[in-house]
Amino acid sequence: MILDPKIPPGPLPDKWEAHRKALKALDPSVAQRCRVLVVGTGLAGASAAATLAERGFQVEALCFQDSARRAHSIAAQGGINAAKNYPKDGDSIERLFQDTIKGGDFRSREANVYRLAEISNAIIDQCAAQGVPFAREYDGHLANRSFGGVKVRRTFYARGQTGQQLLLGAYQAMMRQVKAGRVRVHPRTEMLDLVVADGETRGIVVRDLVTGEIHALSGDAVVLATGGYSTVYHLSTNAKGCNVTAAYRAYRRGAHFANPCFTQIHPTCIPLAGRYQSKLTLMSESLRNDGRIWVPKQKGDTRPPSQIPEAERDYYLERRYPSYGNLAPRDIASRAAKAVCDEGRGVGPGGQGVYLDFADAVRKLGRKTIQERYGNLFDMYREITDEDAYAAPMRIYPAPHYAMGGLWVDYNLMGTIPGLFVIGEANFSDHGANRLGASALMQGLADGYFIAPLTVADYLSGRKPQRGDAAHPAFAAARREVEERTRRLLAVRGKRTVDAFHRDLGKLMWDDCGMSRSAAGLTRALAEIPRIRDAFWKDVTVLGGGEELNQALERAGRVADFLEFAELICRDALHREESCGGHFRVEHQTADGEAKRDDARFCYVAAWQFAGDGQPPVLHREPLAFDAIPLSERSYK
């Protein structure tokens, strides 16, 4: 199969505008006869649902949370990027584009990234008009701060709760359409399969998480906005409910999965406190603006930080990356933290931590200023650790955070199955092998407000509406498969909990496919994952029944998919014999320990096609061309 990204012709700065004008629109009287299913109500999903409804479509919006406002987007704390150049420090659309391409280590599609940079400014205007309370300077202008991997201030923020405030803006836009009768929200509803008939997307199969009822919804198009899959590691910064099921079920129906091994480790998380912890807590990357990261110079130094003099501290990011210092990109900062801890210079219990110190910032700026910028983050840190970060440094350590990989999409954000659109973190398109901080919210809102509504309308223009066509045999077949899978899970009645198996898988993935990877480790993981999966289907215990609220059943289905999807991640990581961004193969590094790409062999998107149970997936390649920014070594020194 040839992967056609459908990149428009013409100069890079003109592609999107020309393409946008060429996209066909639908008359509202026609659009109202079309039903679009939007799965997920985070930033991407809520903004897409609201805008599609504004254009006249009937929208069914689904989320497994009890409210659309509980989507994981609220956990994005630090900010959202845009090239407004309010600080007058030389920022521009071109510079945002270049930083994003470089940040992703030249493994993203140029045309998509340029469009993202181009749309970024409109996102800020949209959100400010909605009343999102961005921080402001004394003169009233919106404030900006820096984030990792850039040398300009382009990140807009609302203290340490930017994602929550942006989600409330998108939510209110969606609820306006609920009031107008053009959006219907289905909370506590989980997508368990995609319905494909005659080679096209026709709908989805869902489970009502309160009643247990399994039923199908038909639609003229399906928009997946279901987020990332970092909870495959069990412990991550993601909410415990975040999962890969919707995307993985689409993959099994024919949607190609692109670059699944491109997962991001965030450098600024509260360290693990115990074996039975359910998740890790993110401390926003924005803290690295004013906090300085260090460890003792001597191994095994267990003195309190206040007793370690300045001369005996190693500010290792400032030492190794003088151009960027504490604002080095996430993948680089994470590996650097792991390296000093592996040397025996880590701090805290087990030596698995480094200090994030605000003493200098408090002295220079005053405690009040730090409270205004990060107060809720400091409060959260104190609630979790019972430590005062104003008086002593925070302890942080890297943790799984974001998935750059996702379902393959073309320039219109449509996957390899016609009628299936994938937006936000669920697709692969914009971040390459590493996402720069504050770019996730930017992509989610760009896709939802400004791209998908236009491209979905173009796809549906001239097509006969299929709404209500749930009588097709494909719906009954997909529903039967979901019901059978549910019966299998309930029938095992073993002795081990779902979380026990998830914990085993997560540790294996963290050890062998985490911050550093090797052929030996990945081969070991590929041999061990099937054994964990076989044990799961023989010995998992799922109490309760299927026709009721049953959270154990929900988790079992998600972990069962992780136990299959983990193989795809490791297979992709093993095949990619290079290091790039967050994918760090120990066999492929420079003399000073940095990632070493192999552009001659691996300058492509790896898109995997499901070939059947027990069969190896088929690899398809989308070559990447870099015309605007020539391939070069990624250096932040």
Side-chain angles (χ1 to χ4, degrees), residues 516-538:
S516 59
R517 302 155 181 192
S518 67
L522 292 167
T523 302
R524 179 171 56 249
L526 286 168
E528 185 62 25
I529 291 168
R531 285 196 280 270
I532 299 175
R533 185 168 63 242
D534 290 344
F536 173 89
W537 284 104
K538 292 175 182 176

Side-chain angles (χ1 to χ4, degrees), residues 468-524:
D469 186 23
H472 194 286
F475 284 88
R479 189 168 59 250
R480 282 194 301 272
E481 289 184 31
V482 170
E483 290 169 346
E484 174 58 26
R485 186 174 175 82
T486 301
R487 281 194 293 270
R488 282 186 64 203
L489 287 167
L490 291 169
V492 179
R493 297 297 184 182
K495 297 180 179 179
R496 298 190 67 203
T497 65
V498 173
D499 280 351
F501 285 103
H502 196 181
R503 193 178 300 115
D504 288 349
L505 175 66
K507 185 178 188 309
L508 178 70
M509 292 295 290
W510 178 248
D511 289 345
D512 291 336
C513 195
M515 266 194 285
S516 59
R517 302 155 181 192
S518 67
L522 292 167
T523 302
R524 179 171 56 249

Side-chain angles (χ1 to χ4, degrees), residues 188-379:
R188 293 198 179 279
T189 303
E190 183 168 22
M191 173 183 161
L192 295 180
D193 212 341
L194 183 74
V195 180
V196 179
D198 305 319
E200 296 183 348
T201 302
R202 292 293 188 89
I204 59 177
V205 177
V206 302
R207 181 175 184 268
D208 185 313
L209 299 182
V210 176
T211 67
E213 179 191 0
I214 295 171
H215 62 280
L217 288 173
S218 65
D220 298 283
V222 172
V223 179
L224 289 188
T226 51
Y229 48 83
S230 284
T231 39
V232 70
Y233 292 95
H234 183 247
L235 289 174
S236 77
T237 66
N238 287 194
K240 191 171 175 62
C242 293
N243 63 85
V244 77
T245 289
Y248 185 70
R249 292 287 125 189
Y251 161 74
R252 287 180 60 94
R253 292 293 181 187
H256 292 11
F257 214 109
N259 300 335
C261 78
F262 285 172
T263 55
Q264 183 175 74
I265 310 298
H266 198 293
T268 316
C269 305
I270 297 178
L272 176 67
R275 171 173 167 74
Y276 295 102
Q277 192 167 328
S278 62
K279 73 176 298 294
L280 296 170
T281 302
L282 173 69
M283 288 285 100
S284 170
E285 184 178 334
S286 62
L287 294 170
R288 293 200 282 152
N289 274 284
D290 291 303
R292 299 181 70 194
I293 296 173
W294 63 275
V295 292
K297 288 184 177 180
Q298 298 299 318
K299 295 181 181 180
D301 190 338
T302 59
R303 289 176 294 173
S306 61
Q307 295 180 17
I308 302 177
E310 193 75 12
E312 297 178 31
R313 300 179 179 186
D314 180 13
Y315 294 90
Y316 58 90
L317 289 177
E318 298 173 29
R319 170 174 55 81
R320 292 188 59 181
Y321 306 100
S323 292
Y324 287 81
N326 296 297
L327 289 175
R330 290 176 175 178
D331 58 316
I332 289 174
S334 293
R335 286 196 295 273
K338 180 179 184 296
V340 296
C341 290
D342 288 349
E343 292 170 3
R345 297 193 288 137
V347 302
Q352 295 297 298
V354 300
Y355 288 130
L356 179 59
D357 196 339
F358 288 85
D360 286 351
V362 170
R363 279 195 296 270
K364 293 176 183 176
L365 302 173
R367 177 167 173 152
K368 182 180 179 182
T369 297
I370 298 302
Q371 284 178 320
E372 289 173 350
R373 292 178 180 177
Y374 314 111
N376 61 310
L377 299 173
F378 277 63
D379 292 343

Side-chain angles (χ1 to χ4, degrees), residues 2-278:
I2 297 175
L3 291 174
D4 181 6
K6 295 184 172 62
I7 298 172
L12 193 60
D14 301 335
K15 287 182 185 295
W16 172 238
E17 184 63 18
H19 185 65
R20 187 179 66 82
K21 291 178 179 178
L23 291 171
K24 298 175 183 177
L26 279 177
D27 184 274
S29 63
V30 178
Q32 69 182 358
R33 300 199 300 271
C34 296
R35 176 190 288 161
V36 180
L37 310 180
V38 178
V39 186
T41 56
L43 280 180
S47 58
T51 312
L52 284 163
E54 287 275 6
R55 291 178 167 272
F57 293 99
Q58 289 295 316
V59 176
E60 306 286 334
L62 303 93
C63 64
F64 62 73
Q65 298 91 348
D66 60 348
S67 167
R69 289 176 296 175
R70 292 189 184 273
H72 188 62
S73 298
I74 66 168
Q77 302 157 331
I80 177 171
N81 287 331
K84 287 287 193 181
N85 194 28
Y86 287 161
K88 300 296 186 291
D89 53 5
D91 201 9
S92 64
I93 290 171
E94 182 71 20
R95 187 163 186 170
L96 174 54
F97 162 64
Q98 291 175 355
D99 285 342
T100 306
I101 289 287
K102 178 183 176 183
D105 214 352
F106 295 90
R107 289 296 178 262
S108 50
R109 192 188 286 154
E110 271 195 342
N112 289 64
V113 177
Y114 194 93
R115 175 176 64 185
L116 178 64
E118 189 178 359
I119 290 173
S120 67
N121 291 337
I123 296 171
I124 302 303
D125 295 339
Q126 170 93 5
C127 295
Q130 289 175 336
V132 172
F134 289 119
R136 293 181 180 269
E137 303 289 0
Y138 180 77
D139 61 4
H141 283 102
L142 298 184
N144 289 111
R145 58 188 177 199
S146 298
F147 253 65
V150 300
K151 293 182 177 179
V152 295
R153 290 174 292 157
R154 65 161 64 106
T155 303
F156 295 77
Y157 62 98
R159 295 188 71 187
Q161 49 187 243
T162 313
Q164 180 178 0
Q165 298 301 329
L166 291 172
L167 182 60
L168 289 174
Y171 173 79
Q172 71 178 11
M174 182 175 70
M175 295 308 292
R176 178 174 177 268
Q177 296 303 313
V178 171
K179 176 73 173 178
R182 290 190 287 268
V183 172
R184 184 166 59 170
V185 179
H186 303 260
R188 293 198 179 279
T189 303
E190 183 168 22
M191 173 183 161
L192 295 180
D193 212 341
L194 183 74
V195 180
V196 179
D198 305 319
E200 296 183 348
T201 302
R202 292 293 188 89
I204 59 177
V205 177
V206 302
R207 181 175 184 268
D208 185 313
L209 299 182
V210 176
T211 67
E213 179 191 0
I214 295 171
H215 62 280
L217 288 173
S218 65
D220 298 283
V222 172
V223 179
L224 289 188
T226 51
Y229 48 83
S230 284
T231 39
V232 70
Y233 292 95
H234 183 247
L235 289 174
S236 77
T237 66
N238 287 194
K240 191 171 175 62
C242 293
N243 63 85
V244 77
T245 289
Y248 185 70
R249 292 287 125 189
Y251 161 74
R252 287 180 60 94
R253 292 293 181 187
H256 292 11
F257 214 109
N259 300 335
C261 78
F262 285 172
T263 55
Q264 183 175 74
I265 310 298
H266 198 293
T268 316
C269 305
I270 297 178
L272 176 67
R275 171 173 167 74
Y276 295 102
Q277 192 167 328
S278 62

